[in-house]
Amino acid sequence: LVSTDHINRKGQSMKKVCFLWREITNLGMISAPTTLSYRISVKIRGLNDYNFRSETGNKEEQISSAISNLISTFEECKDWRVDLKYPDFELIIHLNEEMLIIGTPLTKKPLSERSYLIHKGLRCTTASILVQLAKIQPGHIICDPMCGCGIIFAEILQDFSQVTCLGFDTSISQVNKAQENLSFCDNGSILVSIADAISIPLKTSSVDRIICDLPFGKKHQLPNDDKDFFRNIFSEMRRIIKSDGLVVLLVSGKTQIELFEEIKNYDCWEISSSH
């Protein structure tokens, strides 16, 4: 991990950072293969101040291209070639205001891939983080009012037994996919049914945890008045959650601001953490 603040403060260029990484990892001391295909994957978040000159304006492509050019200057890597589909080696770079992360995958398959899932939905690694934040205990009743194809429940039932999962969705096809995805589970009680998130068929103060991936308005269209939409959903969540319960939501930046404003209207609610 290299702090971007340190990079800015020292005035180091990306090339110097790459040489630093090469030195730290002793790459120059390892006998590199004469021919190798590779791919560089770059993700940048929140770096609006960084000024990269490019006709396309794509910062990720600029950094990827710059590192490829840098690699070609190493004598031991002169015959290496870029392969975006089936590389022998992949370099992954994540850059934000706080840090620069450089790494490489240890397996060909992504961590998010699950052999027991028939249908894909929310990225499984993201669902796993939501489950960890929920601090689930044996005996808990967990509700996902927009369960989609049941990815969150699949993650829960891999790690927890003696829990009850209640999922709802307005889409018949999504409910059917959730039932197929969860057919492998036998260590908990599961109910997936058709229902609207603003009218959940559960008693007041009946669930211990609510875990939900709220729509961002991209894959699933939001109503024109999305403020009322989220207000109604949040009100219904407040109705069914127990007084000592915990709600874990995956939201966009815009939705987070709206939810924080809505929470101010309820004295009995508090925000425990935001990530």
Side-chain angles (χ1 to χ4, degrees):
L1 305 182
V2 181
S3 167
T4 50
D5 179 60
H6 174 75
I7 295 172
N8 293 336
R9 196 168 57 244
K10 297 296 183 181
Q12 295 175 318
S13 67
M14 180 59 72
K15 184 173 182 178
K16 290 182 179 179
V17 172
C18 291
F19 272 115
L20 173 63
W21 174 77
R22 181 170 180 257
E23 181 181 347
I24 292 173
T25 57
N26 293 322
L27 183 61
M29 300 174 63
I30 299 173
S31 178
T34 55
T35 60
L36 184 77
S37 63
Y38 68 93
R39 175 175 66 199
I40 299 173
S41 302
V42 179
K43 287 186 179 180
I44 301 177
R45 293 293 179 268
L47 296 175
N48 295 324
D49 325 289
Y50 279 63
N51 182 22
F52 298 104
R53 296 180 181 178
S54 171
E55 295 179 359
T56 63
N58 190 315
K59 298 176 182 178
E60 286 87 352
E61 288 183 3
Q62 293 175 69
I63 293 180
S64 177
S65 178
I67 295 175
S68 293
N69 293 335
L70 174 64
I71 289 176
S72 66
T73 64
F74 300 150
E75 180 63 27
E76 63 269 37
C77 305
K78 63 181 180 179
D79 293 324
W80 288 17
R81 60 182 179 83
V82 175
D83 186 340
L84 299 181
K85 289 188 176 181
Y86 306 106
D88 299 320
F89 172 80
E90 182 176 12
L91 183 67
I92 295 179
I93 298 174
H94 287 190
L95 181 64
N96 57 38
E97 286 98 338
E98 296 179 353
M99 64 184 66
L100 167 67
I101 302 175
I102 302 177
T104 182
L106 300 180
T107 63
K108 290 291 184 181
K109 293 183 178 180
L111 288 175
S112 58
E113 186 170 318
R114 302 290 193 266
S115 59
Y116 48 82
L117 290 178
I118 301 172
H119 306 284
K120 293 183 178 180
L122 175 66
R123 191 174 180 86
C124 293
T125 46
T126 303
S128 178
I129 293 172
L130 297 178
V131 171
Q132 293 177 44
L133 291 172
K135 302 176 183 177
I136 295 171
Q137 300 296 324
H140 272 175
I141 299 174
I142 306 146
C143 176
D144 183 351
M146 296 181 177
C147 68
C149 53
I151 303 299
I152 291 175
F153 287 163
E155 288 299 309
I156 291 173
L157 296 172
Q158 281 293 307
D159 298 325
F160 299 95
S161 59
Q162 301 177 6
V163 295
T164 300
C165 296
L166 306 174
F168 305 97
D169 205 285
T170 56
S171 168
I172 296 176
S173 64
Q174 289 291 83
V175 169
N176 290 336
K177 289 178 181 179
Q179 291 172 344
E180 292 177 0
N181 272 344
L182 299 171
S183 60
F184 74 92
C185 300
D186 56 4
N187 60 339
S189 300
I190 310 167
L191 171 65
V192 180
S193 181
I194 298 173
D196 197 320
I198 63 175
S199 183
I200 304 171
L202 294 176
K203 293 181 179 180
T204 299
S205 302
S206 59
V207 301
D208 300 282
R209 299 289 186 268
I210 296 175
I211 310 176
C212 186
D213 171 23
L214 291 178
F216 290 10
K218 294 182 179 180
K219 288 184 178 180
H220 303 284
Q221 190 65 36
L222 292 174
N224 292 331
D225 193 349
D226 54 352
K227 287 188 177 180
D228 282 343
F229 174 71
F230 287 116
R231 184 177 295 113
N232 291 335
I233 290 174
F234 188 74
S235 178
E236 187 67 352
M237 289 181 179
R238 176 178 175 272
R239 182 186 69 81
I240 65 171
I241 194 74
K242 293 180 180 178
S243 59
D244 60 347
L246 182 63
V247 178
V248 179
L249 303 176
L250 178 63
V251 300
S252 66
K254 177 186 175 185
T255 305
Q256 176 178 307
I257 295 173
E258 294 175 356
L259 284 177
F260 283 3
E261 289 299 318
E262 185 65 20
I263 288 174
K264 294 178 182 178
N265 298 324
Y266 303 101
D267 295 334
C268 57
W269 282 66
E270 65 175 354
I271 301 170
S272 60
S273 63
S274 175
H275 304 273

